[in-house]
């Protein structure tokens, strides 16, 4: 599961979290993915996991019927609430994706943006089993994450025996954190997810990829 180090890093870095979206070389791909996400989740009741500052919550809220956006860090949730999204459509909650409450509610879709790459390969099937137990079979899942692009992505510091890659991130207070961050190919995604989901569809741009599927 996501390490305590990762949670600490993102709590400390909450105010800087969205700077990745300011990189000029990613502007066109980012606009395209905003469009894909909005259309993919149009009319859905969405559970968003690891919502961060609510950047993608705002995108989803434009077309979805309702969004419940969750994150393990209260610091992120506080920033999400500052977006002042319509209260009749958007609700922010502190919740751990790995320990969702039994009364999380009923949904037609789950959105996971830029968090799947932090779930270690050997833990992904277990996470999907946990998610299925909370939201039910046949749930529509949307994964959005970034691709590795030399010169734009953070440098990979090491690779472990399971094939997980890691990056060194520096928090605003100067503390260093080793964060798991993988960049799977389309074939790797299909192979890893095949036992847990069906109807896999992938849209891949230079800087980002979007995968849709249904839990088995």
């Amino acid at each position: 599961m996501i390490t305590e180090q990762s949670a600490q890093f993102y709590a400390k870095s909450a105010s800087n979290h969205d700077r990745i979206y300011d990189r000029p070389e990613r502007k066109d791909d980012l606009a395209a993915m905003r469009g894909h996400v909005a259309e993919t989740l149009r009319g859905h009741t969405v559970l968003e996991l690891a919502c961060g500052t609510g950047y993608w919550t705002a995108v989803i809220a434009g077309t979805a019927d309702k969004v419940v956006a969750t994150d393990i860090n209260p610091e992120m949730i506080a920033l999400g609430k500052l977006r002042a999204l319509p209260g009749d459509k958007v609700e922010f909650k502190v919740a751990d994706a790995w320990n969702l409450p039994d009364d999380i509610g009923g949904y037609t879709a789950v959105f996971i943006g830029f968090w799947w790459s932090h779930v270690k390969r050997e833990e992904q099937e277990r996470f999907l089993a946990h998610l299925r137990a909370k939201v039910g079979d046949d749930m529509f899942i949307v994964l959005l994450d970034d691709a590795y692009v030399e010169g734009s992505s953070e440098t990979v510091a090491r690779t472990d025996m399971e094939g997980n890659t890691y990056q060194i991130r520096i928090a605003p207070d100067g503390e260093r954190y080793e964060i798991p961050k993988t960049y799977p190919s389309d074939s790797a995604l299909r192979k890893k997810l095949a036992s847990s989901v069906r109807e896999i569809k992938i849209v891949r741009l230079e800087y980002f990829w979007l995968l849709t599927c249904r839990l088995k």
Side-chain angles (χ1 to χ4, degrees):
M1 62 185 61
I2 190 167
T3 64
E4 185 176 343
Q5 269 212 343
S6 295
Q8 288 178 358
F9 169 77
Y10 283 108
K12 289 182 179 180
S13 306
S15 61
N16 299 327
H17 188 261
D18 290 347
R19 288 185 179 178
I20 186 67
Y21 302 129
D22 295 334
R23 296 183 181 181
E25 73 275 13
R26 300 185 175 209
K27 181 179 178 181
D28 290 344
D29 277 13
L30 186 60
M33 277 304 180
R34 285 199 300 266
H36 282 304
V37 169
E39 284 306 310
T40 300
L41 292 170
R42 181 178 295 277
H44 278 281
T45 299
V46 182
L47 172 63
E48 183 181 6
L49 303 181
C51 68
T53 68
Y55 180 97
W56 292 97
T57 313
V59 173
I60 297 165
T63 56
D65 285 352
K66 182 176 176 61
V67 189
V68 175
T70 65
D71 199 279
I72 193 173
N73 283 311
E75 295 86 350
M76 293 292 193
I77 294 297
L79 289 172
K81 289 180 177 178
L82 291 177
R83 293 182 182 274
L85 298 174
D88 60 334
K89 292 188 69 173
V90 179
E91 181 180 0
F92 285 96
K93 289 184 176 181
V94 176
D96 180 358
W98 275 100
N99 190 27
L100 293 171
D102 291 334
D103 61 350
I104 192 64
Y107 303 92
T108 62
V110 175
F111 176 78
I112 304 174
F114 299 90
W115 184 75
W116 186 253
S117 56
H118 297 306
V119 181
K120 293 181 180 180
R121 294 182 178 188
E122 64 271 24
E123 296 173 346
Q124 291 173 358
E125 291 180 26
R126 183 162 61 88
F127 172 73
L128 290 173
H130 163 71
L131 184 60
R132 184 184 302 106
K134 300 298 181 179
V135 300
D137 298 337
D138 202 41
M139 179 61 62
F140 184 55
I141 306 293
V142 180
L143 305 179
L144 173 64
D145 229 302
D146 49 352
Y148 184 81
V149 179
E150 192 72 36
S152 179
S153 303
E154 300 288 341
T155 301
V156 171
R158 73 177 180 93
T159 304
D160 68 16
M161 295 292 288
E162 298 290 339
N164 299 298
T165 51
Y166 298 80
Q167 296 172 336
I168 302 298
R169 305 282 182 88
I170 310 299
D173 64 1
E175 189 167 355
R176 292 164 57 89
Y177 292 86
E178 184 183 67
I179 306 296
K181 176 73 173 178
T182 57
Y183 296 94
S185 64
D186 288 3
S187 59
L189 284 165
R190 290 181 183 278
K191 183 177 181 181
K192 173 57 72 173
L193 293 171
S195 63
S196 301
V197 308
R198 58 186 176 82
E199 299 178 17
I200 296 174
K201 297 178 182 178
I202 301 173
V203 175
R204 185 174 288 270
L205 305 179
E206 182 178 4
Y207 292 97
F208 306 105
W209 56 265
L210 178 80
L211 183 148
T212 62
C213 60
R214 287 192 178 275
L215 289 175
K216 287 183 177 178

